[in-house]
Amino acid sequence: MTADLRQRIFAELSSLCIVDPHTHINPHAPAAGNLSELLGYHYYTELAHSAGMPKALIEEPGIDPRSKVERLVANLAPLENTIQYSWLIEILQTFADFNDQRLTPENWQQAYDTSLGRMQGHPWADHVLQTSRLQAVFLTNDFDDPLEGWDTSKYIPCLRTDDLVFHLKSPAVRDRLQAATGQSVTNRNTLTSALHALFHHFSAHQARACAISLPPDFIPTRVSAGRADIAVENLLMHGEQCSPADQRAVSHFVFWTLADFCREYDLPFDLMIGVNRGVYADGVHQGRDLYDSRVSLIQYRELFNAFPQVTFPVSVLASVTSQELASYAWIFPNVVTNGHWWYSNTPTYIEHDLAGRLEAVPQTKQIGYYSDMYKLEFALPKFNMYRRVLAKVLAERYVVDRGWSEERAVALGTTILKGNTERLFGIAPAAP
Amino acid sequence: MTADLRQRIFAELSSLCIVDPHTHINPHAPAAGNLSELLGYHYYTELAHSAGMPKALIEEPGIDPRSKVERLVANLAPLENTIQYSWLIEILQTFADFNDQRLTPENWQQAYDTSLGRMQGHPWADHVLQTSRLQAVFLTNDFDDPLEGWDTSKYIPCLRTDDLVFHLKSPAVRDRLQAATGQSVTNRNTLTSALHALFHHFSAHQARACAISLPPDFIPTRVSAGRADIAVENLLMHGEQCSPADQRAVSHFVFWTLADFCREYDLPFDLMIGVNRGVYADGVHQGRDLYDSRVSLIQYRELFNAFPQVTFPVSVLASVTSQELASYAWIFPNVVTNGHWWYSNTPTYIEHDLAGRLEAVPQTKQIGYYSDMYKLEFALPKFNMYRRVLAKVLAERYVVDRGWSEERAVALGTTILKGNTERLFGIAPAAP
Amino acid sequence: MTADLRQRIFAELSSLCIVDPHTHINPHAPAAGNLSELLGYHYYTELAHSAGMPKALIEEPGIDPRSKVERLVANLAPLENTIQYSWLIEILQTFADFNDQRLTPENWQQAYDTSLGRMQGHPWADHVLQTSRLQAVFLTNDFDDPLEGWDTSKYIPCLRTDDLVFHLKSPAVRDRLQAATGQSVTNRNTLTSALHALFHHFSAHQARACAISLPPDFIPTRVSAGRADIAVENLLMHGEQCSPADQRAVSHFVFWTLADFCREYDLPFDLMIGVNRGVYADGVHQGRDLYDSRVSLIQYRELFNAFPQVTFPVSVLASVTSQELASYAWIFPNVVTNGHWWYSNTPTYIEHDLAGRLEAVPQTKQIGYYSDMYKLEFALPKFNMYRRVLAKVLAERYVVDRGWSEERAVALGTTILKGNTERLFGIAPAAP
């Protein structure tokens, strides 16, 4: 019986104080203010909508938080099987004295009131961090974020670059870039200067990573200076009407330049590979994106070879790509496996993908998990889901199958869950 | 030890009276008439051929049933490991007092005689249905099937449309369409009228679904009326010599029109995605098709967005696509996961794919299983195979890993196995 | 508890005397001469390099064996989680009285000295073969190997053909071909004659297979005699400057011709599908290749149909392709599943892929495993890894899930592990 063994390993892993290396936390409002901000997480709105709840009911303008929760709760029954639903119940059990297995029209009001009382107690966010044993979380900052007004050792800046690589044809994006950097963008050189200014700004504010999400058809390549000159000039002249070829050349040029600054500023470059945006056009907010599993890391061959000094923590959307990721991290010194992203962030796929990585990628090159959360409360159930799977794999595949001692298995789990994140992103561990 | 738990959940799931939402049953001869009609199932002929049995020996014209069984039995030993072989043994054990683990040159004659006696007893098909706890089965009807001569509440019509979408260039197909509808097809409008007549006919005969199998390179798209006019005209004029571009436009036009009628007639449109026909040209009957796993549901993006009112139960051939299917069903309200098809219909792939769906797709949007059978006897072992895997996943991933009660796990299994099929296809459940 | 059951099945499978159907053994130096030749295996050098060890340190010209081991050992800690590391420890435990779980700066010298003493005892290779219960191993011979100087019943020749198919544009390759065959290659006919001479030579020296590794974009097709005439002429004229179209035509022509001689000489043609060479250009020796999982066996459709008399043992690099392989081996009589190759040769992927094959491919058409080793010592831990997974799958999916007797499960395992290799390659089994 491995149940006890799994439980013991899980308990050891749960006692660790950790860093969450990728979230969408707003540092000015890191925790939820009421239950609506938990139920408003796209997993619940998109799954309720998928199960039949009209979008208009979910996204009615001006709806008050209590009514929104009432409506969503009435549509949660079809989701009770999902792992995402279990996150919600675990949050309520941990943080709101909730004792049931289901959130229903009968019991939601008490959960609402209890959680509201807690959330409005003042050091709520810090309480959540402590209860979740979180030392710090990474943010996802727009490139023009002033990065001021919070403790950057607890809420660590990360430069998110999707807008720069894919939306520079938009005048609004270029205006934001100019406003953020004081650099007017008129050609390749001034564009490079503006990007440089961003890295200087982020680095000065303790940013520890640069990040981007990438569509499946993206194949980055080095663009010659001459070609970049022309493409940038055409993009500045034609904006949204710029030719696809010029847009692509600018995307590649900006992407390559970002990688170059990551090298110069010693920042890992998180690549989140594979998402198609807006596939379900009429979906709810943040519930429109999907993917095409026909993507390969061979598309990043030139990049990985060109920047041996840059660490690339790579996330992929589909389990099929996760085997490639394990293989590329096994061969390329600068490729690191990074968490279990989005549509692969469910126990069955985590188990398969994690086991595949543990067996073939050096233990120092695996960032076990990040929560991707928007509100702090979700770290606990999401990391617990991961820790349970990690404990299962360590118990079954290391202690049982390979005869490892329990201590050795826990040490491996600790490296994956905690040590690598600290080391690869340069975060000093908390005092024990 | 989860063995007892699995067994208890399996027993509960096995007690349910269910509907089989996709079969190839001939309603005029639903059950086997002799053992040859079981051993003649393509799984046995193609696997025996794959293991070395000459096609000429299997498909000799005019061979009598007893000799055919004798020949096949002599070539079954290489297949004894396969799950398909286990279906056969389970049928014989259930329906023919068979007590062995193998069907051999020594024992087949007794199995033949015993089963023959049973099968020729008159209410044999009903006996099989009852023993298998089958309330009804869906058929796969040619578009020109008169749909008469059987109880359509037990053998439910389903409009199969491959010929219409892919073979309209054939004069024989067009003749059949005209004969079935009384509508002479001369242009886009009359083609639409003919298709309309089919839906009227099928709907009047209690059809509960429209279905089609699709090759991996099919990317349906809306065709403008003007383009459809020209393409249909060219196809009618040139027939088999019609240009590939026009053929494709007609395919897309017909497919889109079918989806439109599914909306109008409130019929789910079963999409079975990924099959390449005739890959092994010299294979036995129905043993020639394979696939290319490089297919993506992104190809159906425009369709899923264009028909929010149509339910699309989607089947896929490869496990890699099953993760995409889980993700698309999680996001699109009109996409439903449908069974475990053909080359993914073996326990290992079912277990992986099922677990991935259960954890992320609303429980109301998963049609657990269909048998795809040609003879009624196969429902029992095929559904049992599925129920065993379902019981395993519920036991291990819900009761053990997530602390669910056994009752709650059985309830989830019941929804997947029975409730959704009834609700999504509009079938009233049998009285208890 | 299946642990005891797994152990008993493993013990039975471990008692079998087997043939290893694919290795890179040098028959003139089959076993390691010192520990450096074990640690120099690319798995250790590439993983140590991936974890940060500079290539220059690993591949310093002229470094003595003991220093090389010292350096590598200092960089092994990051690899301790990998299955490849476990092979090394198991070798040391089996062959060098090693009692630790880790090879460290503290204990490597004793391991070095002990193993050195053993390895220099004269019948070392035979001792390794006996301890590993290996009757014979297949080699990977260059086409111009004289095939003399060793016992070909123990070290079985195999004609490796990558150079012929992909590098004939190189004058050096053509010179080797001419030197090996005495046939000057001046056109299609003389090229064919030279290839014929190779088959004659290999067949006369007891070769039992022809083999090739293939990139993911290879789609073999029959080339007409006229097209081949021109392509060969252009290749002979332009060499490395030959057009890509002509190079491809020559590749296809040579490949097709090899298949034809496999038919004539009754040799299985091992296809190892999917590798991209040199992806990580600055990697260590043999640590530069990766893959693109977007490959399909549909690319081999024409080949499999054209040569029904040739057995094609097929290996694939990614688990996604392994499901296709199971399906193609289920349908095509001449397609056989072959082992678990390279990036899929780790327990998690083996377990998933093996279970998928066992359930659907005739038991006579599965070659369970080959070691791919360069030194004989690796057969034991690699086959043990496979036997443990095989025992697990047989225990869980056959004895437990399907109620098979232990004896029947062991018999199936024996067929997969031993019987098929002997039968398909025509090797007489050793006396018991």
Side-chain angles (χ1 to χ4, degrees):
Chain A
M1 190 65 157
T2 60
D4 291 345
L5 173 61
R6 285 166 58 178
Q7 184 54 42
R8 286 196 303 274
I9 296 176
F10 173 73
E12 291 288 332
L13 297 175
S14 298
S15 72
L16 302 170
C17 188
I18 57 174
V19 171
D20 185 341
H22 176 61
T23 81
H24 294 268
I25 291 294
N26 172 358
H28 304 295
N34 57 54
L35 188 46
S36 162
E37 295 186 10
L38 298 180
L39 266 171
Y41 197 11
H42 69 81
Y43 288 103
Y44 306 110
T45 56
E46 75 199 14
L47 282 166
H49 175 56
S50 173
M53 188 179 178
K55 177 181 169 182
L57 218 60
I58 299 169
E59 301 190 341
E60 184 179 313
I63 187 170
D64 67 287
R66 195 175 281 267
S67 301
K68 182 165 181 175
V69 170
E70 183 175 19
R71 284 184 187 180
L72 280 163
V73 165
N75 287 277
L76 288 185
L79 283 55
E80 289 178 2
N81 56 303
T82 65
I83 197 68
Q84 294 87 357
Y85 185 86
S86 78
W87 302 339
L88 180 67
I89 300 300
E90 191 168 354
I91 288 174
L92 294 175
Q93 291 173 339
T94 306
F95 292 110
D97 297 339
F98 191 73
N99 288 314
D100 293 337
Q101 302 296 320
R102 294 173 158 104
L103 186 66
T104 67
E106 288 71 41
N107 66 18
W108 74 267
Q109 301 214 40
Q110 186 173 348
Y112 193 99
D113 294 332
T114 305
S115 59
L116 190 66
R118 303 288 171 83
M119 289 164 174
Q120 301 196 335
H122 208 42
W124 178 245
D126 283 343
H127 172 72
V128 175
L129 287 173
Q130 280 163 26
T131 305
S132 310
R133 304 196 63 72
L134 277 178
Q135 170 188 344
V137 303
F138 278 55
L139 308 177
T140 293
N141 302 95
D142 284 337
F143 66 80
D144 54 345
D145 191 317
L147 304 178
E148 286 176 354
W150 71 81
D151 176 354
T152 56
S153 73
K154 199 185 283 181
Y155 298 105
I156 300 170
C158 168
L159 172 57
R160 183 69 175 239
T161 57
D162 301 46
D163 283 346
L164 297 167
V165 172
F166 296 109
H167 302 300
L168 211 59
K169 66 181 175 183
S170 154
V173 171
R174 295 200 303 277
D175 289 349
R176 287 169 49 207
L177 181 57
Q178 179 163 339
T181 61
Q183 171 72 57
S184 134
V185 173
T186 56
N187 57 29
R188 178 177 63 85
N189 280 330
T190 49
L191 174 57
T192 303
S193 297
L195 297 175
H196 195 167
L198 296 179
F199 275 79
H200 183 78
H201 172 66
F202 270 74
S203 195
H205 287 79
Q206 287 75 52
R208 296 306 317 135
C210 181
I212 189 168
S213 75
L214 301 153
D217 63 355
F218 191 68
I219 307 176
T221 185
R222 187 194 302 272
V223 177
S224 72
R227 177 71 187 97
D229 279 337
I230 292 166
V232 171
E233 182 180 328
N234 285 337
L235 180 132
L236 293 174
M237 190 180 314
H238 301 296
E240 303 278 3
Q241 275 68 52
C242 173
S243 78
D246 283 329
Q247 286 181 43
R248 194 163 45 243
V250 173
S251 282
H252 290 172
F253 169 72
V254 172
F255 183 78
W256 216 261
T257 305
L258 294 174
D260 213 33
F261 285 125
C262 283
R263 183 187 53 70
E264 184 174 335
Y265 282 85
D266 196 21
L267 288 181
F269 196 176
D270 293 345
L271 308 182
M272 311 182 83
I273 296 173
V275 62
N276 276 318
R277 301 290 178 184
V279 172
Y280 173 35
D282 293 331
V284 298
H285 178 60
Q286 296 180 329
R288 297 177 192 130
D289 305 336
L290 278 158
Y291 58 96
D292 179 338
S293 53
R294 296 170 302 182
V295 64
S296 173
L297 294 183
I298 198 79
Q299 300 170 208
Y300 293 84
R301 167 187 189 155
E302 186 180 347
L303 179 79
F304 296 153
N305 278 289
F307 295 96
Q309 317 91 330
V310 176
T311 297
F312 294 100
V314 175
S315 297
V316 296
L317 270 184
S319 193
V320 58
T321 324
S322 185
Q323 189 185 5
E324 280 199 10
L325 175 55
S327 304
Y328 280 67
W330 151 355
I331 291 297
F332 277 103
N334 53 342
V335 175
V336 167
T337 66
N338 192 14
H340 299 270
W341 190 30
W342 205 341
Y343 293 108
S344 284
N345 184 27
T346 59
T348 295
Y349 294 117
I350 293 174
E351 183 179 335
H352 190 69
D353 298 344
L354 167 63
R357 294 174 192 179
L358 280 184
E359 291 169 353
V361 178
Q363 59 180 329
T364 49
K365 300 186 65 197
Q366 306 185 41
I367 298 169
Y369 196 69
Y370 53 78
S371 73
D372 219 354
M373 65 186 166
Y374 286 76
K375 290 294 173 185
L376 288 181
E377 289 83 352
F378 281 97
L380 185 133
K382 288 182 143 189
F383 270 95
N384 273 350
M385 172 185 73
Y386 175 72
R387 281 184 286 245
R388 286 186 193 104
V389 178
L390 179 56
K392 184 181 183 186
V393 171
L394 291 171
E396 293 180 353
R397 296 191 175 273
Y398 283 81
V399 179
V400 173
D401 288 358
R402 289 168 63 177
W404 279 32
S405 71
E406 216 169 304
E407 293 67 33
R408 192 175 175 192
V410 168
L412 173 55
T414 302
T415 299
I416 302 300
L417 180 64
K418 172 184 168 69
N420 291 339
T421 304
E422 293 166 355
R423 183 176 46 79
L424 289 164
F425 293 106
I427 313 289
Chain B
M1 190 64 158
T2 60
D4 291 345
L5 173 62
R6 285 167 58 177
Q7 185 53 41
R8 287 196 304 274
I9 295 176
F10 173 73
E12 291 287 333
L13 297 175
S14 298
S15 72
L16 301 170
C17 188
I18 57 174
V19 172
D20 185 341
H22 176 63
T23 81
H24 294 267
I25 292 294
N26 172 0
H28 304 294
N34 57 54
L35 187 46
S36 161
E37 296 187 9
L38 298 179
L39 266 171
Y41 197 10
H42 68 82
Y43 288 104
Y44 307 110
T45 56
E46 74 200 13
L47 282 166
H49 176 56
S50 173
M53 187 178 179
K55 177 180 168 182
L57 217 60
I58 299 169
E59 300 190 342
E60 182 178 315
I63 186 171
D64 67 288
R66 196 175 281 268
S67 301
K68 181 164 181 175
V69 171
E70 183 175 19
R71 285 184 187 180
L72 280 163
V73 165
N75 288 277
L76 287 186
L79 285 52
E80 289 179 2
N81 57 302
T82 65
I83 197 68
Q84 293 88 356
Y85 184 86
S86 78
W87 303 339
L88 180 67
I89 300 301
E90 192 169 353
I91 288 173
L92 294 174
Q93 291 173 338
T94 306
F95 293 110
D97 297 339
F98 191 73
N99 289 314
D100 294 336
Q101 302 296 320
R102 295 173 157 104
L103 187 66
T104 67
E106 288 71 41
N107 65 17
W108 74 267
Q109 301 214 41
Q110 185 173 348
Y112 193 99
D113 293 334
T114 305
S115 59
L116 189 66
R118 304 288 171 84
M119 289 163 174
Q120 301 196 336
H122 208 41
W124 178 245
D126 284 342
H127 172 73
V128 175
L129 287 173
Q130 280 163 26
T131 304
S132 311
R133 304 197 63 69
L134 277 179
Q135 172 188 342
V137 304
F138 278 55
L139 308 176
T140 293
N141 302 95
D142 284 338
F143 67 80
D144 55 344
D145 190 317
L147 305 178
E148 285 175 355
W150 72 80
D151 176 354
T152 55
S153 72
K154 199 184 284 181
Y155 299 105
I156 301 170
C158 168
L159 171 58
R160 184 68 175 240
T161 58
D162 301 46
D163 283 346
L164 298 166
V165 171
F166 296 109
H167 303 301
L168 212 58
K169 67 181 175 184
S170 153
V173 172
R174 295 200 304 276
D175 289 349
R176 287 170 49 209
L177 180 58
Q178 180 162 338
T181 62
Q183 170 72 57
S184 132
V185 173
T186 56
N187 57 28
R188 176 177 63 86
N189 280 330
T190 49
L191 174 56
T192 303
S193 297
L195 297 175
H196 195 167
L198 296 180
F199 275 79
H200 183 79
H201 172 66
F202 271 75
S203 196
H205 286 80
Q206 288 75 51
R208 296 308 314 137
C210 181
I212 189 168
S213 75
L214 300 152
D217 63 356
F218 190 67
I219 307 177
T221 185
R222 187 195 301 274
V223 176
S224 73
R227 176 74 186 94
D229 279 337
I230 293 167
V232 171
E233 184 179 326
N234 285 337
L235 180 132
L236 293 174
M237 190 180 312
H238 302 295
E240 305 277 4
Q241 276 67 53
C242 173
S243 77
D246 283 330
Q247 285 182 42
R248 193 163 47 242
V250 173
S251 281
H252 290 171
F253 170 72
V254 172
F255 183 77
W256 216 261
T257 304
L258 294 174
D260 213 33
F261 285 126
C262 282
R263 182 186 54 70
E264 184 175 335
Y265 283 85
D266 196 22
L267 286 182
F269 195 175
D270 293 345
L271 308 181
M272 311 182 83
I273 295 173
V275 63
N276 277 318
R277 300 290 178 185
V279 172
Y280 173 37
D282 292 332
V284 299
H285 178 59
Q286 296 180 329
R288 298 176 192 132
D289 306 334
L290 278 158
Y291 58 96
D292 179 338
S293 53
R294 296 170 302 181
V295 64
S296 173
L297 295 184
I298 198 80
Q299 300 170 208
Y300 293 83
R301 167 187 190 154
E302 186 180 347
L303 179 79
F304 296 153
N305 278 289
F307 295 97
Q309 316 92 327
V310 176
T311 298
F312 294 101
V314 175
S315 298
V316 295
L317 269 185
S319 192
V320 58
T321 325
S322 186
Q323 189 185 5
E324 279 199 11
L325 176 55
S327 303
Y328 280 67
W330 152 355
I331 291 296
F332 276 103
N334 53 343
V335 174
V336 167
T337 65
N338 192 15
H340 299 269
W341 191 31
W342 205 342
Y343 293 108
S344 284
N345 184 28
T346 58
T348 294
Y349 295 116
I350 294 174
E351 183 178 336
H352 189 69
D353 297 345
L354 168 62
R357 294 174 192 179
L358 279 183
E359 290 169 353
V361 178
Q363 60 181 325
T364 49
K365 301 186 65 197
Q366 304 184 43
I367 298 169
Y369 196 70
Y370 53 79
S371 73
D372 219 353
M373 66 185 166
Y374 286 76
K375 290 294 174 186
L376 287 181
E377 288 84 352
F378 282 97
L380 186 133
K382 287 182 145 191
F383 270 95
N384 273 351
M385 172 186 73
Y386 175 73
R387 281 183 286 244
R388 286 184 194 106
V389 177
L390 179 56
K392 183 181 184 187
V393 171
L394 291 171
E396 293 180 353
R397 297 191 175 272
Y398 283 81
V399 179
V400 172
D401 288 357
R402 289 168 63 177
W404 278 33
S405 71
E406 217 169 303
E407 293 69 31
R408 193 175 175 192
V410 169
L412 173 56
T414 302
T415 298
I416 301 301
L417 180 65
K418 172 185 168 68
N420 290 340
T421 304
E422 294 167 353
R423 183 175 46 79
L424 289 164
F425 293 106
I427 314 288
Chain C
M1 191 64 159
T2 60
D4 291 346
L5 173 61
R6 286 166 57 178
Q7 185 53 42
R8 286 196 303 273
I9 296 176
F10 173 73
E12 291 288 332
L13 297 175
S14 298
S15 71
L16 302 169
C17 188
I18 58 175
V19 171
D20 185 341
H22 176 62
T23 81
H24 294 268
I25 292 294
N26 172 358
H28 305 293
N34 56 53
L35 187 47
S36 162
E37 296 187 11
L38 298 178
L39 267 170
Y41 197 10
H42 68 83
Y43 288 104
Y44 306 111
T45 56
E46 74 200 12
L47 282 165
H49 175 56
S50 173
M53 187 177 178
K55 178 180 167 180
L57 218 60
I58 299 170
E59 301 190 341
E60 183 179 314
I63 186 170
D64 68 288
R66 196 175 281 268
S67 301
K68 182 166 181 174
V69 171
E70 182 174 22
R71 285 183 187 181
L72 280 163
V73 166
N75 287 277
L76 287 185
L79 284 52
E80 289 179 1
N81 57 302
T82 66
I83 197 69
Q84 294 87 357
Y85 184 87
S86 78
W87 302 339
L88 180 67
I89 301 300
E90 192 168 352
I91 288 174
L92 295 175
Q93 291 172 337
T94 306
F95 293 110
D97 297 338
F98 191 73
N99 288 313
D100 294 336
Q101 302 297 319
R102 295 172 158 104
L103 187 65
T104 67
E106 288 71 42
N107 65 18
W108 74 267
Q109 301 214 42
Q110 184 172 350
Y112 193 99
D113 293 333
T114 305
S115 58
L116 189 66
R118 304 288 171 84
M119 289 164 174
Q120 301 195 335
H122 208 44
W124 178 245
D126 284 342
H127 172 73
V128 175
L129 287 173
Q130 280 164 25
T131 305
S132 310
R133 303 197 63 70
L134 277 178
Q135 171 188 343
V137 303
F138 279 56
L139 308 176
T140 293
N141 302 93
D142 284 338
F143 66 81
D144 54 344
D145 190 317
L147 304 178
E148 285 174 355
W150 70 82
D151 177 354
T152 56
S153 72
K154 199 185 286 182
Y155 298 105
I156 300 170
C158 167
L159 171 58
R160 183 70 174 236
T161 58
D162 301 46
D163 282 347
L164 297 167
V165 172
F166 295 109
H167 302 300
L168 212 58
K169 65 181 174 182
S170 152
V173 172
R174 295 201 303 277
D175 288 350
R176 287 170 49 208
L177 181 57
Q178 181 163 337
T181 62
Q183 170 71 57
S184 132
V185 173
T186 56
N187 56 28
R188 178 177 63 86
N189 280 331
T190 48
L191 173 56
T192 304
S193 298
L195 297 175
H196 195 166
L198 296 179
F199 276 79
H200 183 78
H201 172 66
F202 270 75
S203 196
H205 287 79
Q206 288 75 50
R208 295 308 315 136
C210 180
I212 189 168
S213 75
L214 301 153
D217 63 355
F218 191 67
I219 307 177
T221 186
R222 187 194 303 273
V223 177
S224 72
R227 176 73 187 96
D229 279 337
I230 293 167
V232 170
E233 183 179 328
N234 285 336
L235 180 132
L236 294 174
M237 190 180 313
H238 302 294
E240 304 277 3
Q241 275 68 54
C242 173
S243 77
D246 283 330
Q247 285 181 42
R248 193 162 45 242
V250 173
S251 282
H252 291 172
F253 169 72
V254 172
F255 183 78
W256 216 262
T257 305
L258 294 174
D260 214 33
F261 285 126
C262 283
R263 182 188 53 70
E264 184 173 335
Y265 283 85
D266 196 21
L267 288 181
F269 196 176
D270 293 344
L271 308 181
M272 312 184 82
I273 296 173
V275 62
N276 275 318
R277 300 290 177 185
V279 172
Y280 173 37
D282 292 332
V284 299
H285 178 58
Q286 295 180 331
R288 299 177 192 130
D289 305 335
L290 279 158
Y291 59 96
D292 179 338
S293 53
R294 296 170 303 181
V295 64
S296 173
L297 295 183
I298 198 79
Q299 299 169 207
Y300 293 83
R301 168 187 188 153
E302 185 178 348
L303 179 79
F304 296 151
N305 277 290
F307 293 97
Q309 317 91 329
V310 176
T311 297
F312 294 100
V314 175
S315 296
V316 295
L317 269 185
S319 193
V320 59
T321 324
S322 185
Q323 189 185 4
E324 279 199 10
L325 175 55
S327 304
Y328 280 67
W330 153 354
I331 291 297
F332 277 102
N334 52 342
V335 175
V336 167
T337 65
N338 192 14
H340 300 270
W341 190 31
W342 206 342
Y343 293 107
S344 284
N345 184 27
T346 59
T348 294
Y349 295 117
I350 294 174
E351 183 178 336
H352 189 70
D353 298 344
L354 167 63
R357 294 174 192 179
L358 279 184
E359 290 169 353
V361 178
Q363 60 181 326
T364 49
K365 299 185 66 196
Q366 305 183 44
I367 298 168
Y369 197 70
Y370 52 79
S371 73
D372 218 354
M373 64 186 168
Y374 286 76
K375 290 294 173 186
L376 286 180
E377 289 83 351
F378 281 98
L380 185 133
K382 288 182 145 191
F383 269 96
N384 273 351
M385 171 185 73
Y386 175 72
R387 282 184 284 245
R388 287 185 193 104
V389 177
L390 179 56
K392 183 181 184 187
V393 171
L394 291 171
E396 293 181 352
R397 297 191 175 273
Y398 283 80
V399 179
V400 173
D401 289 357
R402 290 169 62 175
W404 278 32
S405 71
E406 217 170 302
E407 292 68 32
R408 192 175 174 192
V410 168
L412 173 55
T414 302
T415 299
I416 302 301
L417 179 66
K418 172 184 167 71
N420 290 339
T421 303
E422 293 166 354
R423 184 175 45 79
L424 289 164
F425 293 106
I427 313 289

